[in-house]
């Protein structure tokens, strides 16, 4: 336990030393070069994350939310993916400009990632204890025995019952929720500064979802981490996030504090997302949907990317792509008519 | 794990009896009278023939004959050939040659096959990968006896690198060429399977997780992907041992190696049914045991199997 | 887009990846593309139609397919290619072992028979056995495998025991022993024995296919809708489970032709007067050092045929298995 305290103090020291934000993504673009076409997966997104802050990135499949996270972690499949512009600054240092071996040392240790579907994300032939303990063995040079002990501690921390016995079990012997806790244990094992959770609850039951989200929040507060939550599920985000960035077709279309977005959306897409959440008091009425399909990323429409599906669209939307316009302090929307959207939800 | 092994062991018993019965029934139910064949042109009296038939239980129903035979097998008595030489003896004398051939081929196959498969898989789509695909396809298509003859002709006679026949030169020289030919088919399949398995596993989700954990590349491939890739390969090895056994029959024939395969061949030609059955039973037993070992190995590698 | 800073490529921690990316982005892009561009008649993109579309453009598939087609024609109508069947024992010994020349483009063999004729007429038994055994093994494997996999329990136990027993024979050993007992080995007998010793392997695969299909949600759904066992088996499970079988079977034809040649070579397969590639090769054993043509031509035809079937099967398998691309 001595190591943990010293680590944390050292880290907190470092955190206080560097004045800027923990993570700064600056105008990041990623494209996929395929055989016959190029897909613009991420198109000039920027955001920052402060220590102890929870940022939720919300979007459908194909919005580019996972790809941007992969770019930050440096685990992008390349080829065919290529980062074409931008910087990702961790404590002021651009990760994209770092040599690979330096970057690898940060990966898992300072910035960690948790994936969805723990059954395929965990290696089926090694015990859970081995896989968690591996972090200590590889990054900290610990012995197998010691790392096994730490693994048990971590499994306790993520509240897996009978951790001491279960540490020798294999992933397929756990239930879905327990497996996800194993993934989280692996993620927080070295007390990273940032934890990125990519759809951590998507493969789980609703009740288990709530448990996992609560666990993540507690761990974050306990360990003073920055948390980036990637999801498509608005319901999951409300209790946990501080800020939300809504992504659509590779761009950020709205960013705001969590309460503001739920109360008064300022972008038609966000508005549509909120409206399509089924609510108990709407029983008996038709489910609201956003008409149309997400765009083909190799053929993004001119003007505003959302205009083909937008009920607020007018002729300017087909020709001029809106910038991220300021709605209020710290709040932006990529819509020509954000004011109208906002006013509609007084 | 223990339960898994025991279950597999129990499975061996009915399989062993089933296969040996089929061999026994197949051979002894056949047209032709082995006793008359014993005497060649001479025609002994009916009484003589009958005595011999009694001695060998040939007048009893098939199942009794089988039972008597198996009683012998269990203690290692596989009967005698026409010259009263114990079949077990014949097998034991021929065995060392076949074992040397088989093990050499097996080792060659595993080492070259897995290495080539890994290299091809790591540089998928590259020059080596395509070369491997073409060569393995060719090897699989050209029958082993053709490969055997051609190699005898080129490497053996024309270039004089390897001996073409008999074991006079001893191990390893006399065995290298036959072992390579014997290994050829298995090698081709092994290489392809290793490659495919590795490629699939390199794209698996758990590999992405391992990379995200900041593990060095060597560890991700060498430890995580490799273990998983080996699983189907081990299964293939089990099937492969079967082809090695039957392939040896052909290879020993072509290269004139006095092994068990050749002995089987001679016995078939001479209609020595006891020898035929004896050798076949031995081969089947070896095959069944080899498969048992492979299955256990599979259980060691893949924990998901153990808890079924 | 403007200046490509391909930094990630220099230190790509991700080794090789599929040309079409495992990224959900790309998958979504692909899906969106297909639905947007749309097949002209809005047909559902089934695996079969996708596979067929890919195969049509695969040069290997086309070439291999043509070779197979040619062999099938030769097997069906040897007279068109070589006239009279060269019957062993009826060729003129005075013309023995002639090199390729006018009148005998592949030369003559030990018995004076025309090698070209022997090779052409040899196609039929080999290919017939190849196809018959494949069909036989396929049918048995489908039947036994589905019954065992679908019904489970006692039926599965019995059928699996049978399968295990047959799998206890190393590849050709059983066939060699049984065939050696028949004094008169017609192609039918050889095919029969090969089927007897060949059905078990494929059956096991079919059985596990059916078992995994049985657990799928669409089967539960069908049951909930009141479908009978028979209907579920035929309409839902079989079409899905049979794909790996079909793929293996196409590759398997090549293997069976090779196996028959091996058996004949060992002397326990087809016999004279049936021409067969294995027989021609076997007869060339003693003399081919001085007269390579008697080994060369039958070997070439045999290898080419097996190769064509295998390449065909490979192409089909790759087309049906998207993960491998």
């Amino acid at each position: 336990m001595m190591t943990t305290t010293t680590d944390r103090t050292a880290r907190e020291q470092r955190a206080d030393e560097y004045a800027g934000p923990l993570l700064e993504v600056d105008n990041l673009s990623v494209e996929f070069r395929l055989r016959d076409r190029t897909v613009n997966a991420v198109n000039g997104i920027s955001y920052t994350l402060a220590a102890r802050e929870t940022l939720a990135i919300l979007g459908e499949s194909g919005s580019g939310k996972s790809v941007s996270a992969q770019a930050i972690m440096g685990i992008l499949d390349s080829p065919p993916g290529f980062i074409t512009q931008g910087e990702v600054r961790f404590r002021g240092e651009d990760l994209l400009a770092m040599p690979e071996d330096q970057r690898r040392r940060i990966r898992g240790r300072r910035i960690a990632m948790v994936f969805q579907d723990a059954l395929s994300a965990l290696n089926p032939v090694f015990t859970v204890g081995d896989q968690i303990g591996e972090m200590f063995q590889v990054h900290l040079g610990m012995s197998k025995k010691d790392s096994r002990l730490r693994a048990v501690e971590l499994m306790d921390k993520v509240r897996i019952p009978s951790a001491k016995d279960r540490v020798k079990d294999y992933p397929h012997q756990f239930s879905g929720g327990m497996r996800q806790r194993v993934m989280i244990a692996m993620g927080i094992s070295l007390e990273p500064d940032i934890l990125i959770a990519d759809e951590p609850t998507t493969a789980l039951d609703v009740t288990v979802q709530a448990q996992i989200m609560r666990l993540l929040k507690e761990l974050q507060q306990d360990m003073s981490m920055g948390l980036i939550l990637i999801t498509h599920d608005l319901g999951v985000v409300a209790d946990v996030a501080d800020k939300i960035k809504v992504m659509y077709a590779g761009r950020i279309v709205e960013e705001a504090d969590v309460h503001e977005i739920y109360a008064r959306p300022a972008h038609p897409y966000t508005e549509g997302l909120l409206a399509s959440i089924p609510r108990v008091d709407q029983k008996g009425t038709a489910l609201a949907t956003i008409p149309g399909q997400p765009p083909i990323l190799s053929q993004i429409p001119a003007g505003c990317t959302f205009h083909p599906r937008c009920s607020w669209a007018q002729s300017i939307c087909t020709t001029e792509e809106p910038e991220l316009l300021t709605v209020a302090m710290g709040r932006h929307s990529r819509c020509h008519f954000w004011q109208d959207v906002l006013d509609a939800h007084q | 794990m223990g339960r898994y092994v025991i279950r597999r062991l129990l499975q061996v018993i009915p399989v062993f009896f089933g296969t040996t019965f089929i061999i026994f029934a197949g051979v002894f139910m056949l047209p032709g009278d082995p006793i008359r064949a014993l005497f060649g042109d001479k025609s002994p009296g009916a009484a003589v023939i009958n005595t011999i038939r009694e001695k060998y239980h040939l007048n009893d129903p098939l199942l009794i004959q089988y039972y008597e035979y198996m009683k012998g097998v269990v203690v290692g008595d596989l009967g005698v050939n026409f010259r009263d030489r114990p079949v077990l003896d014949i097998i034991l004398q021929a065995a060392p040659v076949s074992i040397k051939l088989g093990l050499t081929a097996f080792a060659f196959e595993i080492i070259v096959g897995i290495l080539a498969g890994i290299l091809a898989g790591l540089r998928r789509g590259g020059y080596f990968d395509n070369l491997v695909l073409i060569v393995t396809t060719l090897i699989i298509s050209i029958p082993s006896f053709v490969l055997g003859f051609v190699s005898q002709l080129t490497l053996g006679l024309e270039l004089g690198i390897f001996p073409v026949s008999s074991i006079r030169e001893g191990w390893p020289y006399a065995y290298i060429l036959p072992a390579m030919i014997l290994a050829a088919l298995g090698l081709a399949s092994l290489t392809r399977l290793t490659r495919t398995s590795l490629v699939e596993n390199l794209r698996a989700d758990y590999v992405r997780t391992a990379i995200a954990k900041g593990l060095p590349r060597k560890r991700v491939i060498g430890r995580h992907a490799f273990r998983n890739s080996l699983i189907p390969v081990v299964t293939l090895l089990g099937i492969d041992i079967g082809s090695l056994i039957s392939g040896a029959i052909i290879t020993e024939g072509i290269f004139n190696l006095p092994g068990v395969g050749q002995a089987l061949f001679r016995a078939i030609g001479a209609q020595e049914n006891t020898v035929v059955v004896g050798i076949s039973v031995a081969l089947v037993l070896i095959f069944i045991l080899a498969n048992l070992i492979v299955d256990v190995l599979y259980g060691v590698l893949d924990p998901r199997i153990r808890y079924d | 887009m403007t200046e490509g800073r391909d930094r990630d490529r220099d230190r790509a921690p991700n080794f090789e990846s599929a040309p079409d990316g495992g990224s959900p982005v790309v998958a979504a892009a692909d899906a969106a593309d297909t639905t947007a561009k749309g097949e002209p008649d809005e047909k559902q993109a089934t695996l079969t139609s996708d596979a067929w579309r890919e195969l049509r453009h695969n040069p290997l598939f086309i070439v291999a397919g043509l070779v197979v087609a040619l062999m099938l024609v030769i097997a069906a109508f040897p007279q068109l290619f070589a006239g009279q069947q060269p019957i062993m024992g009826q060729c003129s010994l005075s013309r023995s072992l002639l090199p390729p020349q006018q009148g005998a483009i592949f030369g003559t063999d030990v018995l004076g028979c025309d090698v070209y004729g022997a090779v052409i007429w040899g196609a039929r038994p080999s290919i017939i056995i190849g196809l018959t055994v494949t069909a036989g093994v396929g049918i048995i494997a489908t039947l036994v495998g589905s019954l065992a996999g679908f019904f489970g329990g006692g039926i599965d136990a019995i059928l699996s025991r049978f399968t295990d027993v047959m799998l206890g024979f190393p590849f050709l050993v059983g066939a060699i022993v049984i065939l050696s007992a028949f004094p008169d080995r017609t192609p039918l007998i050889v095919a029969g024995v090969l089927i007897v010793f060949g059905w078990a392997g494929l059956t096991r695969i079919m059985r596990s296919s059916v078992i995994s299909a049985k657990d799928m949600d669409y089967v539960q759904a069908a049951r909930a809708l009141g479908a009978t066992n028979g209907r579920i088996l035929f309409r839902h499970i079989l079409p899905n489970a049979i794909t790996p079988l079909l793929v293996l079977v196409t590759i398997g034809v090549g293997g069976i032709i090779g196996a028959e040649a091996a058996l004949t070579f060992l002397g326990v397969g087809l016999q004279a007067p049936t021409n067969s590639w294995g027989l021609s090769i076997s007869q060339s054993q003693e003399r081919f050092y001085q007269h390579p043509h008697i080994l060369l031509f039958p070997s070439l035809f045999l290898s080419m045929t097996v190769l064509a079937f295998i390449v065909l099967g490979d192409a089909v398998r790759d087309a049906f298995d998207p993960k491998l691309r």
Side-chain angles (χ1 to χ4, degrees):
Chain A
M1 279 321 196
M2 269 293 291
T3 343
T4 328
T5 340
T6 342
D7 262 0
R8 191 187 299 177
T9 331
R11 204 192 42 252
E12 276 169 358
Q13 265 186 339
R14 274 201 314 274
D16 297 331
E17 271 163 27
Y18 178 69
L22 197 52
L23 183 74
E24 277 177 277
V25 173
D26 187 4
N27 202 22
L28 181 69
S29 291
V30 178
E31 68 182 28
F32 282 87
R33 299 183 194 148
L34 307 177
R35 260 189 305 231
D36 49 347
R37 60 192 192 279
T38 304
V39 173
N40 296 305
V42 175
N43 204 336
I45 62 169
S46 306
Y47 55 82
T48 62
L49 181 74
R52 304 179 198 94
E53 186 178 49
T54 303
L55 169 66
I57 302 185
L58 212 69
E60 306 170 84
S61 322
S63 57
K65 53 193 199 299
S66 290
V67 173
S68 61
Q70 287 171 12
I72 297 173
M73 285 294 286
I75 61 175
L76 200 60
D77 269 345
S78 184
F82 296 96
I83 298 179
T84 49
Q85 66 173 4
E87 288 184 4
V88 176
R89 288 186 291 273
F90 174 59
R91 297 187 184 288
E93 267 189 276
D94 184 11
L95 293 175
L96 302 180
M98 256 185 221
E100 170 60 14
D101 48 295
Q102 197 185 344
R103 195 137 181 224
R104 185 180 67 71
R105 267 174 278 151
I106 294 183
R107 207 178 286 140
R109 190 168 177 183
R110 295 266 86 86
I111 309 181
M113 193 156 169
V114 168
F115 299 94
Q116 71 171 355
D117 192 12
L119 185 57
S120 52
L122 289 172
N123 195 329
V125 302
F126 292 116
T127 61
V128 155
D130 271 343
Q131 296 189 54
I132 301 178
E134 196 174 21
M135 298 293 282
F136 298 99
Q137 282 181 286
V138 170
H139 286 277
L140 299 179
M142 268 194 200
S143 73
K144 191 139 186 224
K145 209 172 64 136
D146 287 336
S147 49
R148 176 59 73 90
L149 288 172
R150 297 298 298 270
V152 176
E153 279 170 25
L154 279 164
M155 284 172 70
D156 268 334
K157 192 159 186 171
V158 296
R159 296 202 280 277
I160 296 177
S162 320
K164 220 166 29 153
D165 298 317
R166 304 225 65 187
V167 77
K168 295 184 283 251
D169 283 344
Y170 292 90
H172 67 276
Q173 296 174 274
F174 289 81
S175 71
M178 289 296 140
R179 265 198 296 272
Q180 199 63 7
R181 290 169 194 264
V182 169
M183 277 239 76
I184 294 175
M186 250 172 26
I188 62 166
S189 53
L190 298 178
E191 306 200 5
D193 298 321
I194 301 177
L195 182 68
I196 306 178
D198 189 354
E199 309 252 23
T201 56
T202 305
L204 304 172
D205 292 336
V206 168
T207 33
V208 180
Q209 274 182 13
Q211 288 170 7
I212 298 290
M213 291 314 300
R214 214 174 311 136
L215 176 68
L216 277 174
K217 192 70 186 172
E218 279 176 26
L219 289 171
Q220 181 206 20
Q221 280 165 351
D222 184 44
M223 297 165 60
S224 306
M225 292 185 299
L227 180 63
I228 299 181
L229 196 56
I230 299 176
T231 178
H232 62 273
D233 188 345
L234 271 171
V236 145
V237 152
D239 282 334
V240 174
D242 299 317
K243 302 196 306 202
I244 296 191
K245 313 262 180 227
V246 181
M247 276 187 76
Y248 184 78
R251 292 166 177 70
I252 294 182
V253 297
E254 183 168 4
E255 44 191 23
D257 282 351
V258 64
H259 308 290
E260 292 168 357
I261 278 210
Y262 279 89
R264 299 173 65 197
H267 191 281
Y269 179 55
T270 320
E271 185 190 39
L273 284 179
L274 285 166
S276 55
I277 300 177
R279 286 160 47 160
V280 174
D281 54 347
Q282 287 171 345
K283 208 157 78 161
T285 60
L287 285 174
T289 57
I290 305 177
Q293 303 267 2
I296 302 169
L297 290 173
S298 48
Q299 298 167 30
I300 295 185
C304 171
T305 54
F306 188 65
H307 83 257
R309 309 168 73 183
C310 182
S311 51
W312 298 91
Q314 303 197 10
S315 60
I316 186 181
C317 303
T318 58
T319 52
E320 208 179 292
E321 178 171 15
E323 302 272 321
L324 259 184
L325 306 168
T326 311
V327 172
M329 181 67 184
R331 189 167 181 192
H332 302 86
S333 167
R334 196 185 287 275
C335 176
H336 296 296
F337 302 101
W338 60 262
Q339 186 68 60
D340 298 333
V341 179
L342 203 58
D343 291 340
H345 294 267
Q346 287 294 5
Chain B
M1 183 68 185
R3 265 179 36 197
Y4 172 69
V5 176
I6 293 181
R7 237 178 346 125
R8 270 304 276 116
L9 266 171
L10 286 178
Q11 269 181 333
V12 166
I13 301 172
V15 174
F16 179 62
F17 284 113
T19 47
T20 50
F21 184 70
I22 291 179
I23 294 176
F24 192 82
V27 172
F28 282 107
M29 300 266 312
L30 303 175
D33 188 348
I35 301 301
R36 285 198 193 281
L38 250 183
F39 290 96
D41 288 329
K42 312 196 188 92
S43 253
V48 179
I49 295 189
N50 234 1
T51 326
I52 299 184
R53 288 180 86 94
E54 286 291 339
K55 175 172 173 208
Y56 289 110
H57 303 278
L58 290 173
N59 281 336
D60 296 333
L62 183 65
L63 272 171
I64 305 279
Q65 290 190 43
Y66 176 67
Y67 171 69
E68 294 290 329
Y69 182 71
M70 291 310 279
K71 260 187 6 192
V73 169
V74 173
V75 293
D77 174 17
L78 293 163
V80 296
N81 72 353
F82 287 161
R83 297 207 190 92
D84 254 349
R85 187 167 167 218
V87 174
L88 190 62
D89 225 40
I90 299 178
I91 295 180
L92 288 177
Q93 187 188 31
V97 173
S98 299
I99 292 177
K100 281 188 215 152
L101 178 64
L103 286 178
T104 313
F106 197 54
F108 182 66
E109 194 181 290
I110 292 184
I111 297 176
V112 176
I114 293 187
L115 268 175
I118 291 178
L119 283 174
L122 284 181
R123 287 168 186 24
R124 181 168 161 268
Y127 180 62
F128 187 74
D129 185 25
N130 283 310
L131 184 69
V132 159
L133 276 176
I134 296 177
V135 169
T136 52
T137 312
L138 282 175
I139 292 179
I140 294 179
S141 316
I142 302 178
S144 65
F145 47 98
V146 171
L147 280 176
F149 285 139
V150 170
S151 67
Q152 264 186 330
L153 190 62
T154 50
L155 295 170
L157 286 177
E158 310 237 331
L159 297 178
I161 304 180
F162 297 111
V164 288
S165 149
S166 92
I167 51 167
R168 226 175 339 119
E169 313 258 343
W171 197 87
Y173 281 118
Y175 290 88
I176 293 183
L177 197 54
M180 285 196 330
I181 300 298
L182 183 58
L185 186 64
L187 184 97
S189 311
L190 203 65
T191 305
R192 293 179 128 208
L193 185 63
T194 307
R195 172 201 174 271
T196 306
S197 186
L198 189 65
V199 164
E200 257 180 35
N201 277 287
L202 283 178
R203 278 156 44 171
D205 282 344
Y206 69 82
V207 166
R208 187 185 51 178
T209 307
I211 299 174
K213 278 161 74 170
L215 303 180
R217 174 182 169 145
K218 257 198 313 214
R219 193 178 168 104
V220 175
I221 300 180
R223 193 170 134 87
H224 285 263
F226 191 60
R227 259 295 278 273
N228 279 278
S229 306
L230 275 186
I231 295 173
V233 171
V234 163
T235 316
L236 183 69
L237 285 178
I239 302 174
D240 212 40
I241 292 175
S243 343
L244 278 180
I245 293 179
S246 29
I249 300 178
I250 297 177
T251 315
E252 283 173 13
I254 297 178
F255 290 91
N256 198 18
L257 305 169
V260 176
Q262 243 200 12
L264 177 65
F265 235 68
R266 293 226 180 93
I268 290 179
Q271 284 194 304
E272 299 216 41
N273 293 337
T274 324
V275 181
V276 172
V277 172
I279 296 182
S280 305
V281 165
L283 289 179
V284 161
L285 185 61
I286 294 175
F287 184 55
I288 292 176
L289 285 175
N291 268 315
L292 178 66
I293 296 177
V294 163
D295 276 348
V296 170
L297 199 62
Y298 185 38
V300 167
L301 281 179
D302 188 350
R304 290 169 290 189
I305 296 293
R306 295 181 220 162
Y307 300 96
D308 258 329
Chain C
M1 280 192 314
T2 38
E3 13 137 7
R5 280 197 287 181
D6 302 344
R7 294 193 276 207
D8 261 337
R9 203 216 291 239
D10 298 322
R11 52 187 115 92
N14 301 299
F15 322 119
E16 310 295 311
S17 42
D20 275 280
S23 154
V25 175
V26 180
D30 275 344
D33 269 0
T34 328
T35 44
K37 276 186 259 184
E39 299 296 334
D41 48 343
E42 282 298 325
K43 232 181 349 173
Q44 261 204 337
T46 61
L47 185 59
T48 327
S49 58
D50 277 346
W52 178 233
R53 197 161 22 117
E54 166 160 325
L55 282 174
R56 274 203 308 253
H57 300 298
N58 183 351
L60 277 177
F61 177 77
I62 295 176
V63 171
L66 285 173
V67 173
V68 167
L70 178 65
M71 286 302 163
L72 289 175
V73 171
I74 293 180
F77 305 109
Q79 315 90 316
L80 289 178
F81 294 86
Q84 276 272 340
Q85 178 180 6
I87 314 252
M88 277 175 251
Q90 292 182 10
C91 311
S92 50
L93 271 170
S94 57
R95 294 175 50 95
S96 138
L97 290 176
L98 295 174
Q101 58 193 245
Q102 184 117 32
I105 48 170
F106 287 171
T108 57
D109 67 11
V110 177
L111 298 173
C113 295
D114 178 24
V115 172
Y116 175 73
V119 163
I120 292 291
W121 283 85
R124 180 185 278 181
S126 299
I127 291 185
I128 286 187
I129 291 182
L131 295 175
T132 318
V133 172
T134 306
V137 167
I139 294 176
I140 297 180
T142 309
L143 260 167
V144 177
S146 350
L147 288 175
F150 188 71
F151 291 109
I155 298 183
D156 184 14
I158 298 178
L159 290 176
S160 288
R161 282 303 81 85
F162 264 121
T163 315
D164 284 344
V165 167
M166 292 319 291
L167 283 172
F169 289 96
F171 190 39
L172 287 176
V173 168
I176 291 175
V177 170
I178 302 295
L179 277 173
S180 64
F182 287 92
D184 189 26
R185 294 183 292 273
T186 62
L188 209 61
I189 292 182
V190 173
V193 172
L194 277 175
I195 292 180
V196 164
F197 287 98
W199 65 267
L202 226 50
T203 302
R204 202 188 245 188
I205 294 177
M206 185 66 184
R207 175 181 169 273
S208 36
S209 246
V210 169
I211 290 181
S212 18
K214 202 170 60 156
D215 282 336
M216 296 273 129
D217 286 340
Y218 59 83
V219 172
Q220 316 280 29
R223 249 188 237 286
L225 289 172
T228 60
N229 271 344
R231 191 180 169 84
I232 294 181
L233 191 55
F234 277 106
R235 283 213 59 190
H236 296 276
I237 295 190
L238 224 46
N240 285 284
I242 215 169
T243 317
L245 200 83
L246 283 176
V247 162
L248 281 173
V249 142
T250 32
I251 301 179
V253 179
I256 292 170
I257 296 179
E260 176 270 314
L263 287 172
T264 306
F265 166 76
L266 288 172
V268 290
L270 297 169
Q271 304 155 299
T274 318
N275 286 110
S276 137
W277 290 327
L279 206 50
S280 302
I281 296 176
S282 149
Q283 285 171 344
S284 73
Q285 260 183 90
E286 307 294 317
R287 303 294 180 89
F288 76 87
Y289 301 125
Q290 263 90 18
H291 309 273
H293 69 271
I294 53 179
L295 173 69
L296 185 68
F297 292 108
S299 302
L300 204 64
F301 269 71
L302 176 61
S303 306
M304 230 173 40
T305 309
V306 174
L307 181 65
F309 272 107
I310 288 182
V311 168
L312 200 70
D314 260 2
V316 169
R317 186 201 46 214
D318 283 348
F320 273 91
D321 190 352
K323 285 183 293 176
L324 280 181
R325 296 199 221 136

